[in-house]
Amino acid sequence: MRTPILLAAALFTATLLAQDPLRIWGLTPAGGANDRGTVFSVNTDGSDFTTVFDFSDASGWGPEGGLCLAPNGLLYGLTTFGGEGAPAAGTLFTIDPANGNFTKLRDFSISNGGYNWSSLIVGTDGMLYGAGYAGSDGGGSIYRVDPTNNEYTELYALDQATDGGAITGVLIQATDGKLYGGASQGGVTGEAGTLFSYDPITDEFTKLHDFDGAAGGRTPYGGLCQAGNGWLYGTTYEGGLNNRGTVFKYDPVTEVFETIHDIADDNGLNCWATMLRLAPDLLIGGVASGGLNSGGFLYTVVPSTDEVAVVTNFSLATGASPIGALTSAPDGALYGLNAYGGTAFFGTLYNLDPLTYQPTILHHFTSEADGGQPRG
């Protein structure tokens, strides 16, 4: 029997057989046998933690994102560095959850979509879509992977000066079928970044918004989340009234952009994590530092009112710095990763109650056999 899969820091879960235990699969960018990061799996109660694969220079290393469960039953992932490209700018790989077999599919370089900081997604057409920090035109790239034959195709290469560049966040496919994302640099203001869309049917790229680098925010590191009202919600790492980042929304129909929250010194800084939609009128996201215990926190957004509220404060004991997105599971719980803190200070895996937002620590990473500093 195959075991149902939950991907830590990814967008997809599979419920194959209800009587089987649910397994979490994820990545760490550091630690492991080669200090190059690991692939791990673990039961949802934290038991039977297994290091499935240790990354190396040849396999690619330092994966910053998560795993994607493709229609063919394989897990697809990206490393940020290493491999055999020139220069070594990461790799594309698969893991077979049935046996843990690792297969490297592609070596990236600067000119073909390398330095991937995020994850792949499954499109409505069954194809996998991703966005790289680098690309053939210098500003990053949007690409497709066909899981039937693993063919890689660069769909659009961004020009950093006009389109924006250096994509670090995961793409989202909205209800209109288009892919949406943010470029963390470039655009008409120089280094503030942009929002963009790509239509996989018409092969059309459209720049939607240039961040102003000031009150409107700058450096959108994370991806976007679509609420039930159709608006796309995201964050910037810097800028805003306090230069500590912002929470914003964008309407793809009316093309209206609005900043709805300015992060301040007393309530955190360094927004990186992509928000997760819990309900049509409820989103949840993370801030990497600050908050009550200076360990970062989770916050909710109510789209109907644009209310932003802190719901969970992390500490060094629970794990700190929620850089990656939460994942919702078939068991009704939420799961997430903290990059630092815990008993060995190399991060934690936690379960989050979706009603009380209270975390339960499932695993303390040690950086030795199990890896550490999970950021996906």
Side-chain angles (χ1 to χ4, degrees):
M1 292 186 295
R2 275 186 178 268
T3 301
I5 298 165
L6 168 63
L7 307 180
L11 300 179
F12 303 94
T13 62
T15 52
L16 303 181
L17 293 172
Q19 67 268 32
D20 284 345
L22 191 67
R23 294 283 289 179
I24 298 170
W25 287 73
L27 305 172
T28 70
N34 305 309
D35 197 22
R36 291 290 186 261
T38 63
V39 180
F40 69 85
S41 71
V42 60
N43 289 332
T44 54
D45 63 0
S47 64
D48 191 26
F49 185 98
T50 303
T51 300
V52 179
F53 183 78
D54 291 283
F55 289 103
S56 65
D57 289 336
S59 70
W61 59 275
E64 295 282 345
L67 293 165
C68 174
L69 180 61
N72 61 9
L74 298 178
L75 304 175
Y76 283 72
L78 302 158
T79 65
T80 309
F81 308 104
E84 299 174 6
T91 61
L92 167 69
F93 65 87
T94 62
I95 290 282
D96 188 339
N99 52 32
N101 286 344
F102 174 95
T103 302
K104 183 174 70 172
L105 301 177
R106 183 175 182 83
D107 291 286
F108 289 105
S109 68
I110 290 179
S111 63
N112 69 0
Y115 297 120
N116 285 275
W117 290 78
S118 64
S119 313
L120 296 166
I121 66 168
V122 179
T124 55
D125 57 3
M127 297 291 181
L128 310 183
Y129 292 91
Y133 190 92
S136 62
D137 208 16
S141 62
I142 300 168
Y143 57 84
R144 179 182 64 218
V145 178
D146 185 341
T148 63
N149 56 18
N150 292 324
E151 179 182 2
Y152 171 94
T153 304
E154 184 181 64
L155 300 173
Y156 186 80
L158 283 72
D159 182 323
Q160 186 157 316
T162 57
D163 301 328
I167 303 168
T168 58
V170 66
L171 298 174
I172 181 176
Q173 187 167 32
T175 53
D176 61 8
K178 296 180 182 178
L179 304 174
Y180 289 85
S184 67
Q185 300 177 16
V188 297
T189 54
E191 297 182 354
T194 66
L195 297 179
F196 62 83
S197 69
Y198 175 81
D199 191 327
I201 302 298
T202 63
D203 193 32
E204 180 181 6
F205 175 93
T206 303
K207 183 177 67 173
L208 304 173
H209 177 75
D210 286 279
F211 288 94
D212 63 12
R218 61 179 288 146
T219 321
Y221 277 147
L224 300 169
C225 176
Q226 188 171 36
N229 59 11
W231 288 67
L232 301 171
Y233 287 75
T235 61
T236 64
Y237 188 80
E238 301 168 301
L241 296 181
N242 307 303
N243 198 29
R244 291 295 183 265
T246 64
V247 180
F248 65 83
K249 64 179 183 179
Y250 177 83
D251 187 346
V253 177
T254 63
E255 301 179 356
V256 171
F257 174 93
E258 295 181 17
T259 298
I260 65 171
H261 181 73
D262 292 281
I263 297 167
D265 284 327
D266 60 353
N267 72 354
L269 65 156
N270 302 342
C271 278
W272 193 311
T274 301
M275 283 181 256
L276 171 70
R277 175 171 156 170
L278 295 180
D281 199 36
L282 184 62
L283 315 177
I284 188 168
V287 175
S289 59
L292 183 64
N293 306 309
S294 300
F297 57 84
L298 300 177
Y299 64 91
T300 55
V301 177
V302 179
S304 60
T305 61
D306 288 339
E307 179 185 359
V308 179
V310 176
V311 294
T312 305
N313 281 281
F314 290 109
S315 66
L316 290 181
T318 61
S321 296
I323 295 174
L326 288 164
T327 297
S328 59
D331 63 0
L334 305 174
Y335 294 86
L337 295 162
N338 282 320
Y340 303 104
T343 56
F345 203 71
F346 284 100
T348 59
L349 166 69
Y350 63 90
N351 167 305
L352 189 76
D353 187 308
L355 297 179
T356 65
Y357 303 115
Q358 293 303 304
T360 299
I361 307 306
L362 302 177
H363 184 75
H364 294 262
F365 290 93
T366 66
S367 186
E368 296 175 354
D370 56 352
Q373 300 175 357
R375 300 163 65 90

